[in-house]
Amino acid sequence: MKQQSILIGAVAIGGGLGSSLRYGIHMMSPLTHGPLGTIIVNLIASFLLGALVGAVLNRSFPEWLRAGFGVGFCGGLSTMSAFAADGVFLITDQHLVFAGVYMIVSLVGGICFSFCGLVCGQKWAGGANQ
């Protein structure tokens, strides 16, 4: 029970930090509001989560750290709901081409950033799969 409480606390702290960073990125500039801000935070979170996975594959990290950073911080930083809402708003505002580009860039970019993060995490952790 104590271990579960530690994990929940780590996720809560990480989630708060990730959500705060996401809000800060959105507030930094008018250019990051809406779809552009959502793409930025989702790509950053994809890279970071990929890096975590890459590092964990090669090193042992405490479970609370993996949960706090992965589920908490990266989960709080990224935002599927804003991605979906931005897509709906673009479609209902008749910006169909931009909506399509937005969705493709988000999906393909997220996968590419996650892969790059995975490779960087493996290198950082000094894994044999360099």
Side-chain angles (χ1 to χ4, degrees):
M1 188 57 138
K2 181 181 177 186
Q3 176 67 15
Q4 189 175 20
S5 297
I6 292 170
L7 293 177
I8 290 170
V11 170
I13 291 168
L17 293 171
S19 296
S20 296
L21 180 59
R22 180 178 72 227
Y23 183 74
I25 289 171
H26 278 281
M27 297 309 294
M28 279 183 359
S29 166
L31 297 176
T32 61
H33 289 289
L36 183 59
T38 302
I39 288 173
I40 290 169
V41 297
N42 285 343
L43 293 180
I44 291 170
S46 294
F47 178 85
L48 292 175
L49 191 55
L52 174 67
V53 170
V56 167
L57 290 174
N58 292 298
R59 284 196 181 168
S60 179
F61 290 95
E63 189 175 1
W64 68 266
L65 187 59
R66 291 192 313 250
F69 186 76
V71 177
F73 184 80
C74 291
L77 178 61
S78 63
T79 173
M80 180 63 182
S81 58
F83 165 73
D86 289 341
V88 168
F89 295 143
L90 290 169
I91 290 168
T92 58
D93 287 345
Q94 303 297 311
H95 300 292
L96 300 180
V97 172
F98 187 57
V101 169
Y102 168 69
M103 291 177 194
I104 290 169
V105 167
S106 294
L107 178 61
V108 174
I111 292 169
C112 290
F113 271 64
S114 185
F115 179 75
C116 289
L118 177 77
V119 171
C120 289
Q122 288 176 328
K123 289 186 186 268
W124 174 79
N129 299 332
Q130 297 179 21

